[in-house]
Structures are given as C-alpha cells and as structure tokens.
Amino acid sequence: MSNTPMAANPLTRAVLEIDEYASGLGWDQPARLFALVDTAQLRAQEPALAAQLGLEGESETTGLTPIEQDEVPTDKPLDEFLATIAWPDAVVGCALTVERLMLPPSAEAQVPQGLTEAKLTRWVADHPDRQEVRMTVAVLRDGARDAAVRLREKDTPTEVLTGAALVPGLAEALTATFAE
C-alpha cells in the first residue's frame, strides 16, 4: 500500500495497511477478517501466491502479509462468529476491521436503564453526539496486539489513531481464535 506510513513494527504496519485498504472501500462496509502470515515464509513456501500478491520483489525480511478471508456473516453476532474460528499453523496472527457507532464517555450517564439490546442500539444511533468509527484490530499468536481507529468525520490517513490498548475487547476476542 503506497500511502501506508512506515511504522516501527510489522504488526502496526499491517494494521495501517488494512486500515488503508478498508478506507479505499469507503464507509458502510461489512466487517472484514484477515489472516496475517509471515511475509518471508509466504515467499519461500508459496512463491506463486506471493507473486499473485505482488510480494516477490520485496527485500524486507520481516513483515506480515494480510490475506482477506471469506465474508464475515452478518446474520450472527460477531463474538459468536469469532468463537467458531480456528487458524492453521501458518497463520501467525489475524485482524478484523469493523465499523461501529460510539458515544463519548460523557453520554454514559444519559443511557436509559433497562433497554433491550435492540433499543440501546437505536438509542445510540439516534444520539446527537454519536461518532461513526472504523476499528482495525490485529493480534499475533504470541499475544502482541495493535489497533487503528478512524472517525468518519475525520477520514484522512493523518487522522488515524493507533495503539495496542484502543479496542481491548475485540483484541481479546481475536486472541481467543488462537486458543487450543
């Protein structure tokens, strides 16, 4: 990805590459799941696939290549879907990009008590302070994690917040896909 800034580590670079890819697709997209594979191993073990992905000429010896998986089902809650995933040994990590509505912490006191999940979703969607965000979260088998969050109203490559602790619940759900 030509616009992906160089980051300090391969996981952050992968997160930013996926964020850029998702950004190019526009908003109002379904969740997307990615396997993360070691780029050097991919080139050595699957040269035809590496060539198809445009990786044959890269000289970098460390890196992660995101490979988009089949569509994430929309008729099943995301946590239930993630609980059904098992990765082969060649997959060193995984990532998910998903859009959500978020409210500022100041809105927590305003949440009406006793709402069903459907009514709470509607209440958040109608709230005047809601923000549409795209979250990209990636984890590795060894427990490393990183995330990128992009607000719809500030949709530029320079307005992407990154950090390992940004979306801990989703990171934990992705990490669980590697549990034996």
Side-chain angles (χ1 to χ4, degrees), residues 64-131:
L64 298 168
T65 298
I67 301 174
E68 188 170 2
Q69 304 301 290
D70 292 334
E71 287 187 22
V72 175
T74 57
D75 62 340
K76 182 184 264 190
L78 191 57
D79 58 338
E80 288 179 23
F81 167 69
L82 290 175
T84 68
I85 295 176
W87 298 102
D89 291 340
V91 175
V92 298
C94 65
L96 183 82
T97 183
V98 63
E99 296 176 15
R100 291 291 185 257
L101 293 177
M102 293 180 67
L103 292 175
S106 60
E108 283 185 35
Q110 302 169 8
V111 177
Q113 297 298 313
L115 293 180
T116 64
E117 189 171 332
K119 287 182 180 179
L120 178 61
T121 299
R122 179 85 259 143
W123 184 83
V124 171
D126 292 340
H127 196 283
D129 295 331
R130 75 185 177 286
Q131 295 274 337

Side-chain angles (χ1 to χ4, degrees), residues 21-53:
Y21 168 75
S23 178
L25 298 172
W27 286 86
D28 304 317
Q29 296 292 314
R32 295 178 186 280
L33 181 66
F34 299 83
L36 298 176
V37 297
D38 180 277
T39 303
Q41 285 184 347
L42 178 64
R43 283 196 306 260
Q45 296 173 359
E46 298 285 344
L49 178 57
Q52 183 180 353
L53 295 172

